[in-house]
Amino acid sequence: MSFKDSIDKDRLPQHIAIIMDGNGRWAKQRGKLRTFGHKHGVKSVRETAESAAELGIKYLTLYAFSTENWNRPRAEVNALMRLLVQTINKEVKTLHDNNIKLMAIGELDSLPAVTRKELNNAIDETAHHNRMSMILALSYSSRWEIANAAKIIAKRVAENEISPEDINQNLFESHLTTNYFPDPELLIRTSGEHRISNFLLWQIAYAELYFSPKLWPDFRKEDLYEAIVDYQNRERRFGKTSEQIIK
Ligand code: FPP
């Protein structure tokens, strides 16, 4: 039996975020360079996006490149940027076939011009799709995002557009790059690491965290279904007591 059969279609998370980890270790286990692992990680991206869209997930955010990843060896950074361009180019068809809209969050200005161009083209070409949004976090870090929001708000106060009293959680949130999406209810990290690594810190305040032992290139549809079943078996209380939760 597949975990898919146990999924309650009426209680799906709207938004799933994934920290795709373990490409390097997967390659090392096979005596290959780290970039070999990244290349194989693309298949997991495709399978995850297809199965999430089929199930009816509305938003899928993938941590593809963190601000800290710029500090990796130059050759790996370049290979990742090339892979990103090739993948976007090749997978636009998958996005069309599955009615998926591509979006991106992060410090996109810091990406190489060719990567930015390919990304923006794919974003424009898929803008009309509405089954699911796939959001790539690129050159993203949560602390950057939060500091950036604070800077924009400070400028608006300095220009008398808003007053300090207007600043509340809603206003702050509307200045984050994730302004267009609901918060993820489920955050998955692969590779057995139990860390958040500067990803969506504000947005995961109430998310359920799921840690898969699988290395990202081994992550398949069934692993996504298993994570969703696990999520659905949890009780989300949002600070209330069990008795207060209406089932
Ligand atoms: C983490 O594994 C993975 C990355 C930093 C890159 C993720 C990129 C892809 C899966 C390929 C392209 C993606 C898209 C969305 C087109 P790691 O290198 O940190 O692995 P390790 O922890 O084993 O070293």
Side-chain angles (χ1 to χ4, degrees), residues 32 41 46 122 135 196:
K32 303 276 191 184
R46 189 186 311 121
I135 303 134
I196 303 302

Side-chain angles (χ1 to χ4, degrees), residues 2-228:
S2 163
F3 279 104
K4 194 178 183 186
D5 304 324
S6 307
I7 294 177
D8 177 352
K9 287 286 183 74
D10 296 326
R11 288 172 48 244
L12 285 173
Q14 272 199 92
H15 185 172
I16 299 179
I18 305 185
I19 302 175
M20 310 181 286
D21 195 17
N23 295 350
R25 275 163 285 167
W26 189 91
K28 202 171 167 198
Q29 285 172 1
R30 287 158 180 79
K32 303 276 191 184
L33 293 174
R34 300 174 54 80
T35 48
F36 183 75
H38 297 316
K39 279 185 194 148
H40 280 265
V42 173
K43 181 164 186 212
S44 309
V45 171
R46 189 186 311 121
E47 284 221 3
T48 306
E50 279 177 358
S51 48
E54 273 165 25
L55 280 175
I57 305 298
K58 299 309 288 180
Y59 303 91
L60 176 70
T61 300
L62 302 175
Y63 205 2
F65 194 85
S66 73
T67 312
E68 290 77 19
N69 286 156
W70 290 115
N71 299 323
R72 291 195 172 190
R74 183 71 168 269
E76 184 177 349
V77 171
N78 290 344
L80 266 169
M81 290 299 142
R82 267 198 309 277
L83 182 63
L84 210 63
V85 172
Q86 286 164 6
T87 307
I88 294 170
N89 199 306
K90 219 170 107 204
E91 300 294 341
V92 167
K93 187 175 175 325
T94 312
L95 298 175
H96 286 312
D97 290 347
N98 289 278
N99 193 7
I100 299 174
K101 184 201 298 221
L102 184 71
M103 302 179 87
I105 54 171
E107 234 179 328
L108 305 178
D109 288 346
S110 63
L111 297 171
V114 55
T115 312
R116 231 172 31 230
K117 186 164 165 261
E118 202 64 47
L119 181 69
N120 285 333
N121 285 347
I123 289 174
D124 291 346
E125 281 175 37
T126 60
H128 58 289
H129 291 319
N130 58 12
R131 182 149 76 137
M132 183 179 85
S133 295
M134 182 166 101
I135 303 134
L136 295 185
L138 288 168
S139 193
Y140 173 89
S141 86
S142 205
R143 289 184 175 178
W144 161 79
E145 178 186 38
I146 291 169
N148 189 54
K151 191 159 70 184
I152 302 168
I153 294 169
K155 274 189 192 153
R156 294 188 64 197
V157 170
E159 285 161 12
N160 287 323
E161 245 184 79
I162 52 173
S163 81
E165 285 68 38
D166 295 328
I167 302 172
N168 56 27
Q169 293 185 28
N170 284 341
L171 180 120
F172 197 88
E173 232 162 45
S174 70
H175 290 80
L176 296 173
T177 56
T178 49
N179 175 29
Y180 305 105
F181 330 118
D183 288 344
E185 298 98 323
L186 172 60
L187 172 74
I188 299 171
R189 181 175 189 141
T190 59
S191 90
E193 304 288 357
H194 293 190
R195 279 192 298 278
I196 303 302
S197 301
N198 215 347
F199 190 44
L200 302 175
L201 297 179
W202 175 288
Q203 297 86 344
I204 59 165
Y206 286 102
E208 295 296 331
L209 310 182
Y210 180 86
F211 299 100
S212 165
K214 291 270 181 89
L215 301 176
W216 179 250
D218 289 329
F219 196 82
R220 289 290 168 269
K221 294 187 176 193
E222 197 57 22
D223 299 303
L224 180 73
Y225 302 146
E226 185 173 5
I228 294 173

